């Protein structure tokens, strides 16, 4: 679970519906128009990258840039842990069959080298030694994986950097427009229901060796930032130390939330729903105001909470529907 948090922490953005994001053709046309023009950009580490032309053969070591690439109409040739991506991210499914380059924390350098990519996209969660090895293979664009002061802004900046590197600015503009439409509709529904300014609490959790741990998604998390964007506020008072905006705590921390809507997506999918399965017999859990008042909302398991604009657009819609239906 921890690996999913740190490597995935990375990550707002939004869950744009697949049918609303176009096909690969516009992206290819954009890239053809930019062909022959050099592309220069600076990544999150301050490293300057120059490409002789927009990249078309792209490898991504983290799932957030994979989602962005698919959203932009660029099919990556290499992806870390393809099986895991397919399980967690249903907002931007892979359309082709890229090579699996290994785990997100330890990508295979040999596999990446055999793919001869124009560009490798990674995040700051990847070790500097791994980035150094990859730079010997191809230009590497390192993205900021989280910013608890502005998760949505960071998400969009990452999308723009990838769009610039791949010559897909038009697709990026469309993705932003679609995302904003979902946010506006969700905020309108929240406001119409008289819920504007309502405090909500996002969390998930897991059990190891009979010990229950709760992951609080504070206002500095990506979904916390999305909640604020659609007119809600965070009920958590915990102060995160990491850029993910997440804090690991215990069950007793839930008692300080009060009678607020409690939103969650099981961290390991429906087969391991802590709150529905293990917590259902927990005496302390049963005393929670949001449990007694039927304010526990399980959101769609297929929404990845650390994704890009497509995932976060779907998240906004799911929250609005849960609170207003």
């Amino acid at each position: 679970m921890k690996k999913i948090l740190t490597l995935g922490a990375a990550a707002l953005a939004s869950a744009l519906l697949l049918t609303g994001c176009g096909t690969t053709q516009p992206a290819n046309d954009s890239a053809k128009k930019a062909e022959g023009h050099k592309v220069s950009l600076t990544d999150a580490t301050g490293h300057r990258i120059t490409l002789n032309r927009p990249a078309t053969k792209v490898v991504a070591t983290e799932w957030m840039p994979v989602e962005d690439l698919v959203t932009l109409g660029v099919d990556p040739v290499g992806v870390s842990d393809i099986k895991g991506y397919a399980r967690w991210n249903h907002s931007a499914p892979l359309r082709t069959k890229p090579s699996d380059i290994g785990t997100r924390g330890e990508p295979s350098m040999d596999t990446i080298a055999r793919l001869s990519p124009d560009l490798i996209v990674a995040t700051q969660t990847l070790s500097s030694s791994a980035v150094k090895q990859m730079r010997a293979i191809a230009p590497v664009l390192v993205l900021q994986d989280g910013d608890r002061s502005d998760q949505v802004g960071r998400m969009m900046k990452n999308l723009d950097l990838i769009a610039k590197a791949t010559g897909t600015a038009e697709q990026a503009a469309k993705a932003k427009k679609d995302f904003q439409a979902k946010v506006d509709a969700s905020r309108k529904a929240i406001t119409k229901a008289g819920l504007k300014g309502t405090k909500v609490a996002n969390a998930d959790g897991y059990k190891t060796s009979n010990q229950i741990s709760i992951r609080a998604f504070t206002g500095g998390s990506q979904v916390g930032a999305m909640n604020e964007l659609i007119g809600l506020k965070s009920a958590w008072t915990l102060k995160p130390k990491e850029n993910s905006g997440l804090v690991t705590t215990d069950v007793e921390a839930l008692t300080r939330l009060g009678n607020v809507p409690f939103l969650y997506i099981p961290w390991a999918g429906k087969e391991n729903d802590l709150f529905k399965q293990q917590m259902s017999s927990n005496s302390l859990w049963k005393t929670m105001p949001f449990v007694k008042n039927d304010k526990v909302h399980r959101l769609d398991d297929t929404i990845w909470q650390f994704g890009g604009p497509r995932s976060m657009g779907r998240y906004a819609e799911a929250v609005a529907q849960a609170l207003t239906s």
Side-chain angles (χ1 to χ4, degrees):
M1 188 289 309
K2 183 177 180 183
K3 184 175 181 181
I4 292 175
L5 164 62
T6 55
L7 293 175
L12 212 230
S14 75
L16 296 173
L17 293 173
L18 179 60
T19 56
C21 293
T23 65
T24 58
Q25 192 59 45
N28 291 338
D29 289 345
S30 297
K32 286 178 181 179
K33 291 177 184 178
E35 194 171 343
H37 295 279
K38 286 190 175 182
V39 178
S40 295
L41 59 162
T42 303
D43 71 8
T45 67
H47 186 78
R48 189 71 176 173
I49 299 166
T50 300
L51 306 173
N52 290 328
R53 59 185 180 279
T56 55
K57 294 180 64 179
V58 185
V59 165
T61 68
E62 184 52 76
W63 295 344
M64 178 270 292
V66 173
E67 177 178 328
D68 284 348
L69 285 164
V70 174
T71 298
L72 296 170
V74 179
D75 296 314
V77 297
V79 171
S80 293
D81 186 8
I82 292 175
K83 184 177 180 180
Y85 180 83
R87 178 186 183 185
W88 288 103
N89 196 323
H90 291 216
S91 303
L94 296 168
R95 293 172 296 231
T96 58
K97 294 183 178 180
S99 296
D100 194 312
I101 62 170
T103 67
R104 292 181 287 164
E106 297 180 1
S108 167
M109 299 301 162
D110 289 340
T111 303
I112 294 174
R114 285 198 295 270
L115 293 172
S116 301
D118 303 325
L119 178 71
I120 304 169
V121 185
T123 68
Q124 289 175 309
T125 55
L126 195 62
S127 69
S128 57
S129 60
V131 172
K132 183 178 181 180
Q133 292 180 67
M134 292 190 302
R135 283 191 172 133
I137 299 172
V140 180
L141 176 66
V142 180
L143 305 175
Q144 184 175 359
D145 57 304
D147 180 0
R148 63 180 183 271
S149 67
D150 185 12
Q151 295 286 14
V152 176
R154 180 271 314 165
M155 176 181 72
M156 292 305 187
K157 183 177 180 181
N158 286 342
L159 180 72
D160 285 339
L161 281 172
I162 296 176
K164 184 175 181 180
T166 57
T168 54
E170 291 180 11
Q171 289 293 86
K174 186 181 186 307
K176 290 179 182 179
K177 183 178 179 180
D178 290 346
F179 168 76
Q180 192 60 51
K182 289 177 173 57
V183 167
D184 291 344
S186 300
R187 184 169 56 236
K188 183 178 180 180
I190 293 291
T191 302
K192 184 178 180 180
L195 298 174
K196 184 177 181 180
T198 297
K199 289 185 177 181
V200 299
N202 289 71
D204 63 14
Y206 54 97
K207 185 176 182 180
T208 54
S209 302
N210 295 319
Q211 180 68 37
I212 293 177
S213 296
I214 303 296
R215 289 199 309 177
F217 287 67
T218 72
S221 68
Q222 183 155 291
V223 295
M226 286 302 303
N227 288 341
E228 293 190 10
L229 204 58
I230 61 175
L232 304 171
K233 293 183 179 180
S234 176
W236 289 109
T237 58
L238 299 170
K239 303 298 182 183
K241 295 181 180 179
E242 304 296 330
N243 274 334
S244 65
L246 293 149
V247 177
T248 301
T249 184
D250 54 25
V251 177
E252 290 190 3
L254 298 174
T255 64
R256 297 188 286 273
L257 292 174
N259 188 27
V260 301
F262 183 81
L263 311 172
Y264 79 98
I265 296 175
W267 78 269
K270 58 185 177 182
E271 68 272 20
N272 191 10
D273 186 334
L274 175 77
F275 301 113
K276 185 176 182 180
Q277 298 168 358
Q278 289 96 334
M279 296 287 280
S280 60
S281 59
N282 184 287
S283 57
L284 185 58
W285 172 255
K286 292 179 180 180
T287 67
M288 307 288 177
F290 49 82
V291 175
K292 293 193 294 184
N293 292 300
D294 196 26
K295 291 186 176 181
V296 178
H297 302 281
R298 172 174 167 167
L299 305 180
D300 189 341
D301 298 342
T302 68
I303 299 173
W304 189 43
Q305 298 172 98
F306 308 99
R310 280 197 187 183
S311 290
M312 291 300 99
R314 284 186 61 213
Y315 171 81
E317 291 179 320
V319 172
Q321 182 178 8
L323 297 184
T324 61
S325 60

